Amino acid sequence: MRSRRSRRPRSSRRWSGGGPSAVSQQLAALEQETGHTLLVRAGRGVRLTAAGEILLTHADAVLAQLERAEADLAAYSSGAAGEVTVAAFATGIALVLAPAVAALAGSAPDLRVRVLDAEGDASLPMLLDGRADIAVAVEYRGAPRADDRRLTRLPLYAEPFDAVLPLHHPLAAGTGPVAVADLAAEPWIGPYPGNPCHDVVLLACEHAGFQPRLVHSSDDFRAVTALASAGAGVALVPRSALRGTESDAIAVRPVDSALATRRVFAATRAGAELHPLIRPVLTALATAAGHLDHPA
């Protein structure tokens, strides 16, 4: 995030450069200053000691307070002109970020939004390491917890998944929601492990009592629907990802599982949500999400 009046000294909040030896020297100095061992070797890597965990907890609180201090200083200097970097996944960009950018062009013309396309599990690491000021992310296994003190979250929307079936499938012509359990014996098409949507599919199927037999894998939902139209299997796909697909070549049905839902939120580093450049972007995202058929 950059303003016309100042540039954020991001590196001052992290170990300075200079390679592993420089980091080791800084760790040694910190251990000498605190009087405690902070890291111990564990196999080929290292792990935090109990003292290190305690210090890390305080470090998160200090970083959050520094973000709040920067927000207060920026507000004091009326720094409402500058750039905010937002990392978001493709459909999040289409649904809420692009409309927010359009709205801000009229309401805050001196605020520039820089957009980075990132998978739903990649934007939070980009936020935490300083490459982005706001992340539009989804819940996934291994994500920072909702009570993580490093982050402030803003719920945006909860998007249902629909069942995508070949036209000749016995359930294709039905009405009402499809029971996920009725698809247990089918070959499945789905995203690769690590993709948050893969987690949603697994959770919905596990709750229905089975592990899906994933025969075909793709993170591109256009490819997923093309394979379904070819009779290669069934899939669960986020509803917004089906926009613009050849819907006459597949059958799309809602499903009976509340777990088949993608929960989308915006996040900032704790304290940064008050910054006069970030606050209007969050407001615009929330407004855009409120206009959806499935807000949070």
Side-chain angles (χ1 to χ4, degrees), residues 124-270:
L124 289 176
M126 293 172 69
L127 173 68
L128 289 171
D129 70 15
R131 286 178 288 160
D133 301 303
I134 297 173
V136 177
V138 301
E139 297 286 358
Y140 62 94
R141 293 178 181 179
R145 290 163 49 97
D147 59 357
D148 191 311
R149 288 182 292 182
R150 297 173 298 170
L151 300 172
T152 297
R153 294 190 182 206
L154 172 68
L156 293 177
Y157 62 93
E159 177 181 16
F161 280 51
D162 289 324
V164 175
L165 311 172
L167 286 178
H168 61 73
H169 193 278
L171 298 176
T175 59
V178 170
V180 175
D182 290 344
L183 303 174
E186 302 291 340
W188 280 72
I189 313 158
Y192 285 100
N195 186 315
C197 291
H198 177 88
D199 292 344
V200 173
V201 173
L202 284 188
L203 283 172
C205 292
E206 288 170 1
H207 188 260
F210 70 98
Q211 288 279 342
R213 182 165 56 93
L214 284 166
V215 177
H216 310 286
S217 297
S218 175
D219 288 333
D220 187 331
F221 288 115
R222 291 172 300 180
V224 171
T225 57
L227 286 168
S229 70
V234 302
L236 294 181
V237 175
R239 186 164 294 171
S240 63
L242 292 169
R243 296 179 180 179
T245 60
E246 296 294 333
S247 58
D248 57 344
I250 53 174
V252 178
R253 300 275 306 280
V255 294
D256 66 349
S257 175
L259 293 176
T261 301
R262 176 161 64 176
R263 303 190 184 281
V264 180
F265 60 92
T268 67
R269 291 179 293 277

Side-chain angles (χ1 to χ4, degrees), residues 22-33:
V23 173
S24 298
Q25 291 171 9
Q26 292 177 358
L27 281 171
L30 187 57
E31 288 182 331
Q32 183 176 2
E33 184 177 344

